[in-house]
Amino acid sequence: MTVIVEEPMSLGAEDNREERPALVPSLFPHIPPTLYFSTANEKVELLPAEQRRLLKWKISTVTPNIVKHTIGRSHFKATKKSYDWLGCWGHHMKSPGFKALGEHQKLNHFPGTFQIGRKDRLWRNLSKMQVRFGKQEFSFFPRTFVLPQDIKMLRKAWEDGGSKQKWIIKPPASARGIGIQVIHRWSQMPRKRPLLVQKYLHKPYLISGNKFDLRIYVYVSTYDPLRIYIFSDGLVRFASCKYSSSMKTLGNKFMHLTNYSVNKKNSEYQSNSDDKACQGHKWALKALWQYLGSKGVNTTLIWEKIKDIVIKTIIASEPYVNSLLKMHVRTPYSCHELFGFDIMLDEKLKPWILEVNISPSLHSNTALDVSVKGQMIRDLLNLAGFRIPRKDDVVTPSSSSSSSTTSLCGGNRERTKPDLSADERVKRAFYLTQRYANQDFLSTVLSALTPEDVCVLAESEDELTRLGQFERIFPSPSSSRYLRFFECSRYLNILLDQWEQKYWNNRTKGISLLTTLCEKRVHLGTTDPAHMWSKCSYISRFEPHRQDLVISRSRVVVTHQHRSHDDDDDCSDGETSSVSSLPVSQSPGSSVTSSACASPQPSLAHSLLPQQFASL
């Protein structure tokens, strides 16, 4: 069956739509194109029949109509088979299930993102970051307790706070406002556990007397290197009763909760179909910025603070996700994810994070929803970079496969990854084992670009040509400061950060360099000494006084070990790599260290886990 578009069109209208090419070429030679996803007023050209037969999409029970409509315009057909699909928008699944993903398949989740998608894990991980880096950097979430573990601390905080304080109670894994209540007496505390208890933000910013929150759409195309995008539009959801701080009103969910699924049940709820209008109980985010701007509010400052929250929160999930990716996913291509961040503004217009949704609602009940979510999904799918696989890559699974993890994807082949050359491993080890590396040193990472370096940089530049209304917020010209928040330094994050610093104000020059390298097919593998790091020497250039430092490039031995990240059923073991024979020979007094997870930031040296080399 072919998935149809959402708007019925006459044949005349169909004929008048602009036809767009089915494939978006890469900026660079010898890199395959990506599939184009159109808006409703465009039509996409038909590919040749042999390629068109490969356009299969796995439809699940949770695939939203807005996704079905978008892929239908690009001539995807729904399939119930488990092995021949290219894309799927479905449920999150337990980490071992990701092993079944074929290298040509792309699923809309990463393993382990529940570490910010579950309310209790989100607060636990943000609290860890606050302990490590201080409240000045991590003060954007309310004081939170997870019961039953924190019951004694909560009782003390409750008694210290006096009788006028309010607390909000949330089940840790619920959605749509289910089970949430605001209380002010200890006797109102539910006995059911587990439970999340938070200090209630009792002085929210109000518009026309109503409380509201923001739904911000965030897209992560890859976790290693980490690339984070934020959509320029979003939704503003209002409570449908005017706000009161009176204790007597705490039971009124239409006043204290902003969830659409709660407020639509109120007879006084007013819908809004105009994405430019400031009316009703749901607005477009751009309409809110227009409204606040007219009141003299600096909306740019609020937006920058929201971006800061997003980057830090995604980084809090990063060690868990990358650990599980190494264990369960064959290729980085196979995973991407849309997050729905819920943000509230207090009376001083400070943004606070309320929760992160790893399956944000894409139901489109009004023209406003279609306008915002339709554009967002179309831009997201273009940004994702779906490729047409070679016919040989879409293989029928072995009939002997009976693993439970094959229900989504079929087959249970052993995971395969593109192997880094010994030269690339040596380079990565070298840049990750410098405890006191400065900017002059780190900038030399671009001096001899290896094949994998060129692949990653070309992919990153290509994504920037497919942004639509998304904006990349990490890496960016100003994102270097966030590298210190990573539990473990990763080579590719350093590479992209240095690329941004060097070429952000002259991208044409960077693109020209990569074009030349791709023309020479460097990204496909090379024996050219100019692109083999071990054949080049930069030591004397970045630190003349360390002439006695010798780089031994004869061998690097990488072993693997397993690291446990809490007692999670979905995050029990994380794979890391450690260097047992480092490519560095130290002289007395040298600042090179064998700590394979050492950060290039001096301030992080004491807080990182030695002998972990998670980025290889």
Side-chain angles (χ1 to χ4, degrees):
M1 117 184 136
T2 303
V3 185
I4 58 173
V5 300
E6 66 266 40
E7 296 90 355
M9 292 187 178
S10 68
L11 283 176
E14 176 90 16
D15 291 341
N16 289 333
R17 288 186 297 156
E18 179 187 0
E19 184 169 87
R20 298 293 299 267
L23 296 173
V24 180
S26 168
L27 287 171
F28 310 103
H30 310 301
I31 289 182
T34 57
L35 289 162
Y36 179 71
F37 295 89
S38 72
T39 58
N41 58 4
E42 298 171 329
K43 60 181 177 180
V44 179
E45 70 172 0
L46 285 172
L47 287 165
E50 189 173 351
Q51 288 182 314
R52 201 161 66 245
R53 277 194 288 271
L54 297 173
L55 299 183
K56 304 284 184 65
W57 194 276
K58 176 79 169 177
I59 300 295
S60 81
T61 56
V62 297
T63 305
N65 285 336
I66 210 145
V67 171
K68 293 177 185 176
H69 298 150
T70 307
I71 62 172
R73 290 194 293 268
S74 290
H75 311 295
F76 272 87
K77 291 189 176 181
T79 180
K80 293 184 179 179
K81 293 179 182 176
S82 55
Y83 62 87
D84 65 347
W85 54 268
L86 303 188
C88 177
W89 196 281
H91 290 284
H92 209 290
M93 59 184 178
K94 290 187 180 296
S95 296
F98 285 82
K99 287 186 183 203
L101 285 172
E103 293 181 26
H104 62 287
Q105 297 176 319
K106 193 180 278 283
L107 179 70
N108 65 309
H109 292 291
F110 291 94
T113 51
F114 73 96
Q115 287 287 350
I116 54 175
R118 269 184 63 114
K119 298 178 183 71
D120 53 348
R121 304 294 172 86
L122 172 67
W123 307 119
R124 181 166 69 181
N125 288 314
L126 287 179
S127 296
K128 285 179 184 177
M129 299 291 270
Q130 188 182 72
V131 168
R132 284 182 65 190
F133 300 107
K135 288 188 176 180
Q136 189 171 355
E137 292 285 0
F138 288 84
S139 63
F140 50 80
F141 54 97
R143 191 174 185 190
T144 305
F145 302 88
V146 180
L147 304 189
Q149 301 97 302
D150 301 337
I151 186 70
K152 290 182 180 178
M153 288 189 290
L154 171 62
R155 190 68 201 237
K156 184 177 187 310
W158 192 288
E159 291 168 354
D160 292 345
S163 60
K164 293 187 177 180
Q165 63 189 339
K166 303 181 185 76
W167 298 82
I168 188 164
I169 312 296
K170 304 176 182 180
S174 69
R176 300 182 299 280
I178 296 169
I180 297 179
Q181 54 183 304
V182 184
I183 65 173
H184 68 102
R185 289 197 301 268
W186 186 263
S187 60
Q188 297 171 306
M189 186 75 66
R191 294 288 170 258
K192 192 174 180 181
R193 304 288 190 269
L195 207 60
L196 200 80
V197 184
Q198 284 182 321
K199 203 78 181 288
Y200 185 57
L201 298 174
H202 65 289
K203 291 184 178 180
Y205 188 87
L206 305 177
I207 292 180
S208 301
N210 293 68
K211 176 181 175 180
F212 63 92
D213 76 352
L214 315 178
R215 165 57 58 86
I216 307 296
Y217 295 108
V218 173
Y219 176 66
V220 177
S221 62
T222 168
Y223 262 85
D224 186 16
L226 183 62
R227 290 199 293 266
I228 309 172
Y229 298 85
I230 193 166
F231 194 61
S232 63
D233 210 351
L235 295 173
V236 184
R237 292 96 52 99
F238 285 85
S240 51
C241 279
K242 291 192 182 299
Y243 183 77
S244 166
S245 58
S246 167
M247 297 290 189
K248 296 177 182 177
T249 68
L250 295 185
N252 186 344
K253 292 192 174 186
F254 299 143
M255 177 185 294
H256 292 281
L257 302 187
T258 54
N259 308 70
Y260 167 73
S261 52
V262 171
N263 283 280
K264 69 180 181 181
K265 297 173 185 174
N266 186 359
S267 59
E268 296 184 19
Y269 182 84
Q270 298 173 13
S271 63
N272 172 28
S273 291
D274 188 343
D275 63 343
K276 294 180 174 57
C278 299
Q279 63 188 25
H281 291 115
K282 187 188 283 189
W283 298 1
L285 182 63
K286 287 181 176 178
L288 174 69
W289 297 146
Q290 191 80 26
Y291 172 87
L292 292 176
S294 71
K295 304 285 185 186
V297 171
N298 184 347
T299 56
T300 301
L301 180 61
I302 299 172
W303 191 232
E304 290 304 313
K305 288 179 178 177
I306 289 172
K307 291 179 194 175
D308 180 71
I309 290 172
V310 166
I311 294 169
K312 289 172 177 172
T313 303
I314 295 292
I315 288 175
S317 70
E318 189 268 354
Y320 304 98
V321 174
N322 269 321
S323 179
L324 291 167
L325 280 170
K326 287 178 185 296
M327 291 176 69
H328 300 300
V329 182
R330 298 173 196 167
T331 168
Y333 172 82
S334 290
C335 297
H336 64 142
E337 191 147 2
L338 172 68
F339 298 88
F341 275 66
D342 291 346
I343 302 287
M344 181 167 286
L345 303 178
D346 67 17
E347 61 178 355
K348 296 179 180 177
L349 290 168
K350 174 186 174 179
W352 297 77
I353 187 170
L354 301 179
E355 63 180 274
V356 177
N357 297 270
I358 56 176
S359 293
S361 170
L362 293 176
H363 294 306
S364 299
N365 308 98
T366 66
L368 168 63
D369 287 323
V370 171
S371 173
V372 173
K373 297 176 184 178
Q375 183 69 45
M376 186 267 297
I377 285 298
R378 177 257 184 179
D379 289 349
L380 182 153
L381 293 175
N382 280 323
L383 191 49
F386 283 84
R387 297 192 297 263
I388 298 178
R390 293 171 306 187
K391 193 174 180 181
D392 296 347
D393 292 339
V394 185
V395 289
T396 304
S398 165
S399 59
S400 63
S401 176
S402 59
S403 166
S404 62
T405 64
T406 65
S407 60
L408 178 65
C409 312
N412 198 19
R413 290 184 295 142
E414 281 304 303
R415 171 173 58 102
T416 60
K417 288 184 185 294
D419 287 332
L420 290 175
S421 68
D423 178 72
E424 288 175 313
R425 286 177 176 259
V426 169
K427 182 183 180 185
R428 293 186 179 201
F430 180 74
Y431 280 95
L432 285 170
T433 54
Q434 311 302 309
R435 188 182 294 272
Y436 300 113
N438 58 21
Q439 172 56 28
D440 285 345
F441 164 73
L442 292 175
S443 66
T444 65
V445 77
L446 301 176
S447 298
L449 294 176
T450 66
E452 185 66 13
D453 291 347
V454 176
C455 280
V456 169
L457 292 171
E459 180 181 70
S460 180
E461 288 299 318
D462 270 338
E463 280 186 357
L464 288 177
T465 68
R466 305 192 302 264
L467 286 173
Q469 293 184 31
F470 278 94
E471 173 193 354
R472 192 165 78 189
I473 58 175
F474 187 94
S476 75
S478 58
S479 66
S480 297
R481 66 178 296 267
Y482 293 100
L483 293 178
R484 68 193 184 95
F485 299 127
F486 285 78
E487 178 181 288
C488 196
S489 270
R490 298 194 192 273
Y491 170 81
L492 292 178
N493 289 336
I494 295 171
L495 178 75
L496 279 181
D497 178 66
Q498 291 302 313
W499 182 265
E500 284 298 311
Q501 290 192 49
K502 185 169 183 177
Y503 293 111
W504 71 272
N505 62 348
N506 192 355
R507 297 214 92 89
T508 306
K509 185 177 179 182
I511 289 169
S512 177
L513 170 63
L514 292 175
T515 300
T516 302
L517 298 179
C518 290
E519 188 66 63
K520 296 195 296 185
R521 302 175 185 255
V522 168
H523 62 297
L524 301 177
T526 182
T527 55
D528 183 348
H531 302 289
M532 297 182 69
W533 185 82
S534 55
K535 303 291 186 187
C536 308
S537 177
Y538 303 104
I539 305 306
S540 59
R541 253 192 281 163
F542 71 77
E543 203 163 351
H545 67 274
R546 282 171 58 187
Q547 297 292 338
D548 54 345
L549 181 65
V550 177
I551 303 300
S552 168
R553 300 184 175 91
S554 58
R555 68 189 183 100
V556 58
V557 180
V558 179
T559 59
H560 291 85
Q561 62 191 37
H562 285 276
R563 174 176 61 180
S564 174
H565 269 308
D566 304 313
D567 52 347
D568 306 332
D569 61 346
D570 194 20
C571 193
S572 57
D573 284 308
E575 183 181 349
T576 64
S577 304
S578 65
V579 177
S580 56
S581 178
L582 288 170
V584 176
S585 174
Q586 285 182 241
S587 59
S590 167
S591 63
V592 176
T593 172
S594 62
S595 172
C597 196
S599 168
Q601 310 293 332
S603 61
L604 266 193
H606 68 281
S607 60
L608 295 171
L609 305 176
Q611 294 303 325
Q612 287 181 347
F613 199 13
S615 44
L616 277 184

